[in-house]
Amino acid sequence: MLIVVRSPLPRLRALLQRCWGQLERGLWPGVLGGQSPPWGPALAVQGPALVPQGINVGESGAEAPSLLESVLWMAAPKQRRTIEVNHCRRRHPSKLIEVKRNIDVCPECGNLKQKHVLCGYCYAKVKEETRQIRMEICKKEGGPFNAPTVETVVLYEGEKPTEKDAGKRIIERARKRPSWFVQN
Amino acid sequence: SGAAWARGLLSWARPERWLASGSLFPLSCIHTSTSLQKIGKWEKKNWIVYPPQLPGEPRRPAEIYHCRREIKYSKDKMWYLAKLIKGMSIDQALAQLEFSDKKGAKVIKEVLLEAQEMAVRKHNVEFKSNLHIAESLTGRGHYVKRVRCHGKGMFGIMKISRCHYFVKLVEGPPPPPEPPRTGFDQAKEYVQQLRNRTLVHTL
């Protein structure tokens, strides 16, 4: 709920009105010399408007009236909406939250997961282990731009590098191999 | 005698404590701390103790009332979540709330887990999955007005809204959903109304 409070600027408005009046009088000096109402042509002849209608043209060519006057032309509610009407709109079935039918149980850990999304728990587990491996790699490399051109192999406690891991960089992790991290 | 009078005065507030304590500690039941100034009605609903049931009566299902006060969320937005889980079993409700993107879903999930644990520990519920949500409501918390700055020195007054959330868990499977009212039911009711008409002001 925001209520904009505009500080009134009467001086600025009066200044604008005076300026506009001066402008009008400057453009058409002869019109409002004696008579105040604008008078149209005496003969109703189809043709270009010979008498400049200063006020009408000025008003139609003016910019949009200031905010304080255009309030009369803004849309505003006429009646207070009753709570019953409000309830009909807010509690319409299209606005209620739908019951999700795509929730399953993860076969690995038993937590809940959405069918098209990875299990949150398993993903967090893998993410944590990856972070630990990356920390080991950082310690081995020592600084940036030291990545070797060979492959990397991660070995856990009690594992020896095989013939396939001949020329590869070996990263040691000081824990038992997790069940989900299959060795080659 | 003073202690007994004081205890008698507060027996309506803490009946289970009074019934349970057999010893005569003076003024031990009087709540003297000022932190919980006003205990809400929903919290008091957990304190009612029914008399023991007779052997032939059907088993009264356990009811657990829990709530959380002054949650920083709008009560109207929270209502949609409360409406979602009304009438579900607690497992289904927890599943729906876990995958909901709303801020209030996390809060309601915590409340439900707390209530489930309370049920198992204090309210003699055997299976924690055998609960369903009988009622779930939201209430308006305290609002505060703050100034929100716009450009050009203008300002607006915004209100920071808080809400309460109440839940009642009842032991047992959830009740089957009501079948929607068909045209046939409406026609039957209409015919029944016609048949119930009688002659008035006659013999």
Side-chain angles (χ1 to χ4, degrees):
Chain A
M1 306 279 163
L2 285 167
I3 307 160
V4 176
V5 171
R6 183 165 171 159
S7 53
L9 302 161
R11 285 188 202 163
L12 184 63
R13 197 177 150 197
L15 176 69
L16 277 172
Q17 279 177 347
R18 264 188 284 119
C19 285
W20 187 247
Q22 276 173 13
L23 196 67
E24 277 183 16
R25 270 171 270 140
L27 279 175
W28 296 285
V31 175
L32 294 177
Q35 305 130 317
S36 43
W39 34 271
L43 265 172
V45 174
Q46 283 288 345
L50 300 168
V51 179
Q53 294 155 22
I55 299 222
N56 293 338
V57 170
E59 274 190 358
S60 59
E63 59 191 321
S66 65
L67 189 66
L68 297 165
E69 290 160 358
S70 71
V71 167
L72 302 167
W73 283 278
M74 303 273 271
K78 194 79 184 172
Q79 292 286 350
R80 181 210 154 106
R81 281 165 161 180
T82 58
I83 191 67
E84 294 89 6
V85 166
N86 282 337
H87 279 164
C88 287
R89 184 183 68 254
R90 289 173 195 164
R91 297 182 182 191
H92 193 263
S94 67
K95 296 214 175 172
L96 300 179
I97 306 177
E98 284 178 14
V99 176
K100 292 196 164 98
R101 303 211 175 269
N102 55 355
I103 300 175
D104 266 336
V105 175
C106 170
E108 300 289 325
C109 58
N111 293 90
L112 295 165
K113 72 181 270 296
Q114 281 190 301
K115 286 180 187 161
H116 60 291
V117 180
L118 297 174
C119 167
Y121 185 80
C122 299
Y123 177 64
K125 211 167 47 172
V126 172
K127 204 168 161 181
E128 175 58 31
E129 182 59 31
T130 320
R131 194 177 72 91
Q132 299 289 336
I133 293 172
R134 281 184 183 151
M135 274 164 54
E136 296 282 325
I137 293 175
C138 266
K139 271 192 267 177
K140 197 154 191 184
E141 286 179 359
F145 311 115
N146 290 348
T149 46
V150 291
E151 283 180 34
T152 311
V153 160
V154 182
L155 294 176
Y156 287 87
E157 262 170 17
E159 285 172 18
K160 303 271 160 47
T162 60
E163 296 137 11
K164 282 193 280 185
D165 313 328
K168 297 180 187 171
R169 166 175 71 153
I170 291 166
I171 302 288
E172 306 268 309
R173 279 278 294 129
R175 56 157 282 187
K176 193 171 71 109
R177 179 167 281 266
S179 54
W180 47 265
F181 195 164
V182 176
Q183 192 176 11
N184 279 2
Chain B
S1 67
W5 172 77
R7 267 204 319 209
L9 191 67
L10 290 169
S11 64
W12 68 269
R14 303 287 183 102
E16 87 285 15
R17 284 249 210 127
W18 194 69
L19 286 168
S21 65
S23 54
L24 285 169
F25 287 117
L27 301 178
S28 64
C29 301
I30 294 180
H31 198 72
T32 50
S33 70
T34 49
S35 58
L36 309 163
Q37 294 216 323
K38 206 173 167 190
I39 302 180
K41 289 200 282 192
W42 200 261
E43 287 91 333
K44 287 185 194 159
K45 291 191 187 228
N46 267 337
W47 296 349
I48 55 167
V49 178
Y50 295 97
Q53 285 191 291
L54 305 168
E57 268 186 77
R59 193 185 167 114
R60 188 185 290 119
E63 290 174 349
I64 302 100
Y65 295 87
H66 193 44
C67 65
R68 189 178 282 200
R69 305 276 181 181
E70 305 289 331
I71 304 164
K72 179 63 199 75
Y73 201 47
S74 157
K75 70 165 166 52
D76 297 313
K77 296 176 196 170
M78 191 69 115
W79 181 85
Y80 288 110
L81 289 161
K83 175 78 184 157
L84 175 71
I85 63 172
K86 217 182 271 190
M88 283 186 181
S89 68
I90 195 158
D91 292 331
Q92 195 189 1
L94 289 167
Q96 294 294 321
L97 292 169
E98 191 171 326
F99 297 105
S100 167
D101 297 322
K102 300 208 167 238
K103 171 171 153 182
K106 198 169 158 189
V107 174
I108 296 185
K109 196 166 163 217
E110 286 168 22
V111 172
L112 285 182
L113 289 169
E114 277 174 24
Q116 197 183 41
E117 210 189 330
M118 255 167 52
V120 172
R121 270 192 298 128
K122 296 192 196 168
H123 292 80
N124 189 29
V125 164
E126 201 179 343
F127 304 110
K128 68 176 190 178
S129 292
N130 198 23
L131 293 161
H132 70 271
I133 292 155
E135 286 168 23
S136 93
L137 320 159
T138 54
R140 176 191 186 280
H142 288 294
Y143 289 1
V144 281
K145 291 191 188 166
R146 291 282 180 267
V147 160
R148 189 192 187 273
C149 304
H150 295 265
K152 289 189 182 180
M154 318 276 204
F155 65 94
I157 309 167
M158 68 169 163
K159 64 172 201 249
I160 296 189
S161 59
R162 297 199 184 86
C163 66
H164 308 309
Y165 177 69
F166 310 97
V167 73
K168 170 180 168 185
L169 299 173
V170 170
E171 201 176 2
E178 269 184 39
R181 243 181 114 193
T182 59
F184 186 69
D185 293 326
Q186 284 176 327
K188 264 203 317 196
E189 277 179 31
Y190 177 63
V191 168
Q192 190 58 40
Q193 271 178 5
L194 292 176
R195 287 191 181 139
N196 290 346
R197 295 177 301 183
T198 52
L199 296 169
V200 291
H201 304 313
T202 53
L203 295 165

